Each structure stands twice: as C-alpha cells, then as structure tokens.
Amino acid sequence: MPALPPAALIFDMDGLLVDSEPLWLQVVQAFCRARGFVWTKEHHAGCVGGGLRATLSAMSERFGFAVEHERDIAVLIDDFIGSVGGLVLKPGAAELLSAAAVAGLPTALASSSPRRLIDAVLERFALRPRFQAVVSGDDVAHPKPAPDIFLRAAAALDVPPARCAVLEDSLAGVTAGRAAGMVVVAVPEGPWEGRGFEAIADVCLPSLEVAHRWLGIAPAAAAAGHL
C-alpha cells in the first residue's frame, strides 16, 4: 500500500475503466484494411495509450499512405461511437468508483481520447457524476507519455500531484504518471512481466478489484449501494 493514502484518484478510461481496446482494434483495423493494409494486434499494442493521432502517424510511417489527422480522427471516432453500446466496464470499475465516493475522495478522468468520445462513453455508463474533473486529449498540448494530462487533472482537483494516485493500463500512461510525480498503479491488460511496467509503476496489479484493496479506500460492502 502507498505510504500515505492518496488524496485523489485519477483514472485513465480506455482499457482501464472500460473494456474498449477490442472495439478500438476493430475500428482501427477496418480503417487500415480499407486502404489495403493489415493492422495487427502487435502494431496496435505499440500505440495503446498514445491517442489516435499517434496511431494514425504510426500507420502512415509503417505503410506509407497519407493521413489527414483531423479528418481521419473524426472518422475513427464516429465509427467507435456508433458501436459504444457494446462496451462493458472492466471488472471492479463500478465498485472502485463507488468506494471513492463513499470515502469522499475526489476523482478525475484523464484520457488521451477526444472530448466527444469521452462524453459518449461516460453517457453510456452514466458515469459523468462520478468525476469532479474530466481532462481529454483535446485539452493538452502533449499527449501521454508526457505528464500534461495528469498535471492538468490534479490542478482541476486542486490536489498536489504527489498526493494523487493515477491508475493506468498502458506503458505510455504509467510513464506519464511517473513524470507527473504521482503514485502510479498499473493495471495492464494481460501479464506485465517483461513489458516495462515494473520499472516505472509503484505497483502492478491484475485487476481493479485488487487495486481497490491495495488503495485501501473503503470496503467493497460499504460501497455496494452507491453507484
């Protein structure tokens, strides 16, 4: 457990609170396939956490086709939002957000995704009231792994970065959290060994249920009726 209980929690969204990576992979693969190329899971894994601009740039560099970032990001977002009804929350997400509410712990969402995509996901799960601040990739000059998005979230909560715990599933995200000077809780998809997480995060955990216990903010039973 952290030496001091956190004074605020900052959450990533895609892959951390919401099981969105399978849908993102489908959307991005379809975009690439329409241009005559195959975007693999391995290609996609290298871009997780960096935002759509980084994904499009990686595609352009790898396959040589031209991209227009604003236009193509809009296409990808439209395709994703069109399928948002099929998303599910990650196990333990609702309980952890409830526990934070019970404990009176301020929370922020800090996602590299564009604002309108974040809004669609939050509306899908009726989660907007759970966050005292929401920071998108549209709000900062430099995406993860730069610390900008987390520093802005901490400022919006009026909590010093060192008293914030950031929960992330991507290497770019944990790198950003470390650069921001926060307690970094990595909850990667799949095994984290050998992927660089252990060298950066304060702790690597297999699920949000375990993160809930590690943070020690409230017993699950106390939180059960609050979401």
Side-chain angles (χ1 to χ4, degrees), residues 104-188:
L105 201 61
T107 57
L109 187 71
S111 169
S112 296
S113 293
R115 172 71 60 169
R116 70 186 183 96
L117 189 150
I118 293 171
D119 289 344
V121 173
L122 292 179
E123 182 179 355
R124 159 76 176 90
F125 296 106
L127 287 180
R128 183 61 185 87
R130 284 301 187 204
F131 299 104
Q132 287 71 60
V134 175
V135 184
S136 76
D138 298 331
D139 299 323
V140 295
H142 304 104
K144 304 169 189 177
D148 302 34
I149 198 163
F150 292 137
L151 293 174
R152 182 158 182 157
L157 295 176
D158 196 25
V159 175
R163 295 300 317 281
C164 296
V166 58
L167 292 95
E168 266 283 357
D169 69 299
S170 72
L171 194 59
V174 299
T175 302
R178 172 58 61 230
M182 300 178 177
V183 174
V184 181
V185 181
V187 190

Side-chain angles (χ1 to χ4, degrees), residues 1-4 6 9-10 16 96 164-171 173-175 177-178 182-193 196-216:
M1 295 178 64
L4 290 174
L9 300 181
I10 302 178
L16 188 280
L96 181 51
C164 296
V166 58
L167 292 95
E168 266 283 357
D169 69 299
S170 72
L171 194 59
V174 299
T175 302
R178 172 58 61 230
M182 300 178 177
V183 174
V184 181
V185 181
V187 190
E189 184 72 30
W192 58 78
E193 293 86 356
F197 286 96
E198 293 167 301
I200 303 170
D202 290 281
V203 64
C204 297
L205 301 173
S207 69
L208 289 176
E209 292 107 327
V210 178
H212 183 162
R213 296 195 294 271
W214 188 84
L215 290 163

